[in-house]
Amino acid sequence: MKTNSHIKGQSEAQSLRFNQIKKVAKVVAIIIGAIIGTLVWAMVRPVIRGAGWVISIITAIMIIFWLFTL
């Protein structure tokens, strides 16, 4: 027959194991997120730079057009 202290010890061991699994899962999630974030940043950064040039050119054309229509 199991005593209360034995059952309590099992419960604490399961809780400790669960907390360890949670910590490992959190670390793995952070590593995967960092890798995905780096890859997305590497792909999106040139697009944003290109979009910046397009926006600047369109703005310059609009300002020139506005000056000619005054």
Side-chain angles (χ1 to χ4, degrees), residues 15-37:
S15 177
L16 179 63
R17 189 177 311 137
F18 179 72
N19 286 337
Q20 288 174 340
I21 291 171
K22 267 184 18 180
K23 286 181 184 180
V24 169
K26 189 175 181 180
V27 169
V28 170
I30 289 171
I31 291 171
I32 291 172
I35 292 170
I36 291 173

Side-chain angles (χ1 to χ4, degrees), residues 7-68:
I7 293 172
K8 185 177 178 185
Q10 274 186 333
S11 176
E12 288 174 0
Q14 288 175 351
S15 177
L16 179 63
R17 189 177 311 137
F18 179 72
N19 286 337
Q20 288 174 340
I21 291 171
K22 267 184 18 180
K23 286 181 184 180
V24 169
K26 189 175 181 180
V27 169
V28 170
I30 289 171
I31 291 171
I32 291 172
I35 292 170
I36 291 173
T38 303
L39 291 174
V40 169
W41 174 75
M43 289 186 289
V44 171
R45 188 179 63 166
V47 173
I48 292 174
R49 283 186 179 171
W53 281 105
V54 170
I55 291 169
S56 297
I57 291 170
I58 291 172
T59 304
I61 291 170
M62 288 173 41
I63 290 171
I64 291 169
F65 178 77
W66 177 69
L67 289 173
F68 280 133

